[in-house]
C-alpha cells in the first residue's frame, strides 16, 4: 500500500473559556492537593518545633517585660504562656537565657531598691512618703545583700523605726526582723546568723545587734536576743564539747586506719569539760627595794617677845618677881646668862620623807574550759590474713595489738591517768558491708532524646506517605488531563503516517504540518530513539517507488 501524508494545520489560539472550564473541573483536586501539602508542612514544623520550658517562675509584671525585652534583643526564641503569663524558652536555649538574664541583673523579684530614688518625686510629695520610700529601698537592698549569701535562697527585711526625739534620753530604739528562706537541705551556722545580725545592725542608724531578730521559713528563731542567756550559753558549750570529742575521734581513726584498714576502726570519745569564768583584781607592793623618792625638812625657831606666854595660867603666875638685892659680881659674871634668860627661844623641826615602792596592779578575766576526764571507746574489726591455702580469713587481734592501740590512742589524746582518763578497746568481727545495687538503667523508651527521634521519624514517614500516596497521583492526574485535551484534538485533525502492510504509524505533525514544529520534531526524535528499525522501515516506504 502506498503511503499517504495528510496534515491539517491547527491555529495556535488561546481559548479563555476552555481554560476556565478546565480550571474549575480540576478545582477540587487542586484544593485536596493544597490541603495535603499543608498537612505535610504542619507535620514537618511540629517535628522540628523545640520544647519550651519556663525560664523563671513567679515573676513580677515589671520583670516579665524586662526579661522579654532582653530575650528579644538577644534573638533567643521565647513565648509567653497565655494561661499563666510565664515566659517560656526553648530547651536548648534555657541555659544561655539564664546566664544572659543574670548578667543583666534580672529578675529583680526582690523588689526595687535604691533605684526608686532615681525617680523624680511628684509635686507635693510629703516628707512621710519620702521617708517611707527610703526605708523601703533600704529594706530591699538589705534583702538583696542577705540573699546573696550561700545557703540562702531569698530574704526579707522589716525595719521598725520610731519617731526620734530631740532629747537623747527620750530617743527610741530601732528594731529589725529578718526572714530568710533557706535552700533545700541547707542550714545556717551560728557564725552566719551572727554575721547577718551585725550586717543589719551596722546598716541602720540607732539599731543594736540585740534588737535584730532572724527567723527561717519554718518560723524557727535563729538569733538569740541575749548573749548571756543560759540556754544560749549551754548550746555554745555543748557545741564546743561535740567539737572536741569529734576532733579526738577523727585523730584516733586517722592514726589507726593505715594499720588496720579504713572502715575497720570505730572510735567514740566522751570529754568531761568544765566551763568556768573568773575575774580577779590585785594590787601588789614590793617593800624590799625601797628608795627615798622625796624628803621635806621644816625647821622653825622663835626668839624674843614674840614668844607666847608659858607656865601655869593664873594670877600668881603673872605677878612680877618680888624686889631683891642684885649682886654686881654675879651680874657681871653672868651677864650672858642673864641676857639669855631674859630672851626666851622656841625651836621646832618637822621632817616628811616619801619612799619609792614597786607597785603592781593586775586585772584578770578568764573563761576556761578545763578537761576533767576523757573516756575513749574503740571497736576494731578482726584482722584479715592469708592462710596456707591462699584464702583470706579473719583472725582476732592479739594482745600486742591491744597494747599498741592503747599506746597510740593515749599519745593522741594526751592520756593522763591521774585525772581518771580511760581507754577501752574491743575486738569483734564486723558485719559485711551491704553492697548497694546499682540503679537500673533507664529504659530506652524513657530516654528524653527518644521522643525527639520519634517525632522526626514520624514526620519523615508522614511526608513520604503524603508525597507518594497523594501528591504524586494528583500530579499525574493533572498532567494526564492536561495532555489528553491537545492530544485528542491533534489526533482528530491529523492523519497518521502509515507504512505499507500494517506497519506502525506516526502522527502527521512529524512531517511539519503542525504549527509547533519544534515539539513535533522532538517527538519524532524520541520515537526514533525508542524504535529505530520501525522508523527506518516507514521512511523507506516513503522513498520507495510507487510501483514497488
Amino acid at each position: 500500500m502506498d503511503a499517504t501524508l495528510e496534515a491539517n494545520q491547527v491555529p495556535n489560539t488561546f481559548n479563555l473559556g476552555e481554560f476556565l472550564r478546565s480550571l474549575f473541573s480540576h478545582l477540587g483536586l487542586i484544593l485536596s492537593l493544597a490541603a495535603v501539602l499543608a498537612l505535610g508542612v504542619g507535620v514537618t514544623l511540629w517535628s522540628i518545633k523545640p520544647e519550651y520550658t519556663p525560664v523563671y517562675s513567679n515573676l513580677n509584671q515589671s520583670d516579665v517585660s524586662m526579661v522579654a525585652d532582653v530575650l528579644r534583643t538577644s534573638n533567643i526564641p521565647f513565648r509567653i504562656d497565655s494561661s499563666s503569663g510565664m515566659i517560656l524558652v526553648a530547651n536548648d536555649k534555657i541555659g544561655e537565657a539564664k546566664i544572659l538574664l543574670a548578667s543583666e541583673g534580672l529578675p529583680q523579684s526582690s523588689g526595687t531598691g535604691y533605684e526608686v530614688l532615681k525617680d523624680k518625686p511628684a509635686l507635693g510629695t510629703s516628707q512621710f512618703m519620702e521617708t517611707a520610700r527610703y526605708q523601703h529601698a533600704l529594706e530591699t537592698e538589705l534583702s538583696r545583700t542577705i540573699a546573696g549569701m550561700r545557703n540562702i535562697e531569698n530574704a526579707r527585711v522589716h525595719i521598725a523605726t520610731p519617731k526620734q526625739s530631740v532629747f537623747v534620753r527620750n530617743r527610741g530604739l530601732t528594731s529589725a526582723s529578718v526572714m530568710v528562706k533557706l535552700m533545700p537541705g541547707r542550714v545556717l551556722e551560728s557564725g552566719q546568723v551572727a554575721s547577718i545580725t551585725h550586717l543589719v545592725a551596722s546598716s541602720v542608724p540607732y539599731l543594736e545587734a540585740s534588737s535584730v531578730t532572724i527567723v527561717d521559713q519554718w518560723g524557727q528563731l535563729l538569733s538569740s536576743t541575749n548573749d548571756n542567756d543560759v540556754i544560749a550559753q549551754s548550746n555554745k558549750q555543748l557545741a564546743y564539747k561535740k567539737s572536741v570529742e569529734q576532733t579526738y575521734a577523727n585523730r584516733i581513726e586517722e592514726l589507726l586506719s593505715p594499720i588496720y584498714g579504713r572502715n575497720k576502726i570505730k572510735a567514740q570519745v566522751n570529754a568531761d569539760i568544765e566551763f568556768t569564768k573568773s575575774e580577779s583584781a590585785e594590787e601588789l607592793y614590793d617593800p624590799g627595794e625601797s628608795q627615798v623618792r622625796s624628803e621635806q625638812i621644816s625647821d622653825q625657831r622663835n626668839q624674843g617677845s614674840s614668844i607666847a606666854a608659858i607656865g601655869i595660867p593664873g594670877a600668881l603666875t603673872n605677878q612680877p618677881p618680888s624686889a631683891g638685892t642684885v649682886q654686881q659680881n654675879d651680874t657681871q659674871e653672868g651677864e650672858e646668862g642673864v641676857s639669855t634668860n631674859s630672851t626666851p627661844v622656841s625651836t621646832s623641826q618637822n621632817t616628811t620623807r616619801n619612799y619609792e615602792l614597786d607597785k603592781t596592779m593586775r586585772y584578770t578575766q578568764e573563761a576556761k574550759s578545763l578537761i576533767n576526764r576523757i573516756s575513749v571507746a574503740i571497736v576494731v574489726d578482726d584482722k584479715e590474713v592469708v592462710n596456707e591455702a591462699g584464702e583470706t580469713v579473719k583472725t582476732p587481734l592479739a594482745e600486742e595489738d591491744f597494747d599498741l592501740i592503747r599506746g597510740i590512742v593515749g599519745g593522741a589524746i594526751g592520756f593522763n591517768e591521774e585525772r581518771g582518763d580511760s581507754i577501752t578497746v574491743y575486738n569483734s568481727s564486723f558485719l559485711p558491708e551491704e553492697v548497694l545495687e546499682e540503679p537500673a538503667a533507664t529504659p530506652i523508651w524513657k530516654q528524653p532524646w527518644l521522643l525527639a527521634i520519634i517525632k522526626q521519624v514520624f514526620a519523615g514517614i508522614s511526608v513520604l506517605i503524603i508525597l507518594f500516596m497523594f501528591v504524586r497521583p494528583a500530579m499525574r492526574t493533572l498532567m494526564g488531563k492536561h495532555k489528553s485535551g491537545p492530544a485528542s484534538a491533534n489526533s482528530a485533525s491529523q492523519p497518521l503516517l502509515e507504512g505499507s502492510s500494517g506497519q506502525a504509524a506516526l502522527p502527521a505533525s512529524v512531517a511539519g504540518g503542525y504549527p509547533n514544529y519544534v515539539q513535533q520534531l522532538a517527538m519524532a526524535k524520541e520515537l526514533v530513539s525508542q524504535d529505530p528499525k520501525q522508523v527506518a522501515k516507514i521512511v523507506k516506504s516513503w522513498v520507495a517507488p510507487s510501483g514497488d
Side-chain angles (χ1 to χ4, degrees):
M1 179 185 298
D2 295 336
T4 61
L5 177 62
E6 294 181 1
N8 296 327
Q9 295 184 353
V10 180
N12 188 12
T13 59
F14 175 75
N15 192 344
L16 180 60
E18 285 293 332
F19 175 76
L20 293 177
R21 191 179 302 109
S22 175
L23 180 62
F24 281 108
S25 63
H26 301 153
L27 184 60
L29 185 59
I30 294 175
L31 293 178
S32 301
L33 181 60
V36 171
L37 291 176
L39 178 61
V41 172
V43 171
T44 304
L45 294 178
W46 169 78
S47 63
I48 64 176
K49 182 181 179 181
E51 295 291 337
Y52 284 85
T53 304
V55 60
Y56 286 112
S57 58
N58 301 326
L59 291 179
N60 297 332
Q61 294 298 326
S62 58
D63 289 340
V64 170
S65 61
M66 289 188 289
V67 168
D69 292 339
V70 172
L71 295 178
R72 188 180 296 108
T73 54
S74 302
N75 296 325
I76 295 179
F78 73 94
R79 60 187 182 91
I80 299 177
D81 190 359
S82 58
S83 58
S84 61
M86 293 189 299
I87 294 182
L88 307 178
V89 179
N91 288 340
D92 55 344
K93 296 289 185 179
I94 188 69
E96 180 182 354
K98 287 186 176 181
I99 294 175
L100 178 63
L101 295 175
S103 63
E104 297 292 336
L106 296 174
Q108 299 177 354
S109 300
S110 57
T112 306
Y114 285 138
E115 297 87 353
V116 71
L117 302 179
K118 297 180 181 179
D119 300 337
K120 294 183 180 180
L123 184 62
T125 303
S126 62
Q127 184 180 0
F128 172 79
M129 291 302 300
E130 292 293 336
T131 305
R133 290 178 60 189
Y134 172 74
Q135 181 172 340
H136 173 71
L138 180 59
E139 293 174 350
T140 305
E141 290 295 330
L142 287 174
S143 301
R144 291 178 180 176
T145 303
I146 297 173
M149 296 183 179
R150 185 173 297 179
N151 300 341
I152 298 178
E153 181 178 350
N154 197 2
R156 294 195 66 182
V157 179
H158 303 281
I159 301 175
T161 305
K163 187 176 181 180
Q164 300 297 335
S165 174
V166 294
F167 300 100
V168 177
R169 63 177 178 271
N170 296 331
R171 179 172 295 170
L173 296 178
T174 305
S175 60
S177 58
V178 182
M179 198 280 288
V180 293
K181 182 180 179 182
L182 303 179
M183 295 180 179
R186 305 294 181 87
V187 294
L188 280 184
E189 299 178 356
S190 58
Q192 291 177 307
V193 175
S195 64
I196 294 174
T197 300
H198 289 85
L199 173 67
V200 177
S202 303
S203 303
V204 182
Y206 309 113
L207 177 60
E208 298 179 356
S210 59
S211 301
V212 179
T213 303
I214 303 176
V215 297
D216 58 10
Q217 67 265 35
W218 294 286
Q220 296 179 354
L221 181 63
L222 303 179
S223 62
S224 178
T225 57
N226 188 5
D227 293 338
N228 297 324
D229 188 17
V230 176
I231 298 177
Q233 292 293 336
S234 300
N235 292 334
K236 291 180 180 179
Q237 294 174 3
L238 181 60
Y240 177 77
K241 182 176 182 293
K242 289 182 178 180
S243 176
V244 172
E245 294 174 349
Q246 188 64 36
T247 301
Y248 280 132
N250 293 339
R251 189 181 301 174
I252 293 171
E253 292 181 358
E254 289 178 0
L255 287 174
L256 297 179
S257 294
I259 302 175
Y260 298 96
R262 190 166 296 277
N263 298 329
K264 301 293 184 180
I265 299 290
K266 298 297 180 183
Q268 291 293 331
V269 179
N270 181 24
D272 183 9
I273 302 177
E274 179 184 356
F275 298 92
T276 59
K277 183 177 181 180
S278 61
E279 296 182 5
S280 62
E282 296 179 340
E283 186 173 353
L284 305 177
Y285 296 92
D286 186 8
E289 299 179 359
S290 58
Q291 297 178 1
V292 178
R293 180 175 61 180
S294 62
E295 184 178 4
Q296 181 180 0
I297 301 175
S298 175
D299 292 335
Q300 185 178 2
R301 184 175 183 179
N302 297 326
Q303 182 179 1
S305 59
S306 60
I307 301 176
I310 60 174
I312 301 173
L316 297 177
T317 304
N318 295 331
Q319 293 293 330
S322 59
T325 302
V326 178
Q327 297 180 0
Q328 294 293 331
N329 294 333
D330 295 340
T331 304
Q332 293 177 357
E333 292 176 1
E335 182 177 2
E336 183 178 359
V338 172
S339 175
T340 303
N341 294 332
S342 63
T343 306
V345 177
S346 176
T347 303
S348 65
Q349 184 177 4
N350 186 14
T351 302
T352 302
R353 185 176 292 112
N354 296 323
Y355 292 93
E356 187 71 31
L357 300 178
D358 291 339
K359 179 181 179 182
T360 303
M361 300 184 67
R362 182 181 301 165
Y363 297 93
T364 306
Q365 183 176 2
E366 296 180 352
K368 298 181 179 179
S369 55
L370 300 177
I371 299 178
N372 295 331
R373 186 171 181 270
I374 296 179
S375 301
V376 181
I378 304 174
V379 179
V380 186
D381 192 10
D382 291 340
K383 279 187 175 180
E384 293 183 355
V385 296
V386 180
N387 57 12
E388 298 178 355
E391 298 177 352
T392 302
V393 296
K394 289 188 175 182
T395 59
L397 298 180
E399 189 63 29
E400 295 80 4
D401 295 323
F402 286 95
D403 296 338
L404 176 62
I405 292 174
R406 290 190 184 96
I408 294 175
V409 173
I413 65 174
F415 182 80
N416 188 356
E417 187 176 359
E418 295 179 355
R419 68 182 181 185
D421 295 349
S422 63
I423 300 175
T424 303
V425 181
Y426 180 75
N427 172 230
S428 179
S429 179
F430 287 5
L431 294 176
E433 296 183 0
E434 183 180 357
V435 179
L436 299 178
E437 297 181 358
E438 295 184 359
T442 305
I444 191 172
W445 59 85
K446 293 184 179 180
Q447 296 291 339
W449 51 266
L450 183 61
L451 180 60
I453 294 178
I454 292 176
K455 289 173 61 176
Q456 299 290 339
V457 173
F458 176 75
I461 295 175
S462 301
V463 170
L464 292 177
I465 292 174
I466 291 173
L467 289 176
F468 287 98
M469 296 187 63
F470 297 98
V471 178
R472 186 177 181 184
M475 294 300 296
R476 284 184 176 180
T477 303
L478 290 176
M479 295 301 295
K481 291 185 177 181
H482 177 71
K483 291 181 179 180
S484 62
S488 59
N490 293 338
S491 60
S493 58
Q494 301 181 49
L496 296 177
L497 296 177
E498 297 180 352
S500 58
S501 63
Q503 292 179 341
L506 288 175
S509 58
V510 176
Y514 193 72
N516 195 348
Y517 176 75
V518 177
Q519 293 181 357
Q520 299 301 327
L521 183 60
M523 292 174 62
K525 289 180 179 181
E526 183 179 0
L527 186 59
V528 169
S529 63
Q530 293 178 356
D531 195 357
K533 294 182 179 181
Q534 191 70 19
V535 174
K537 292 181 181 180
I538 295 174
V539 175
K540 185 178 180 180
S541 64
W542 289 351
V543 299
S546 58
D548 294 340

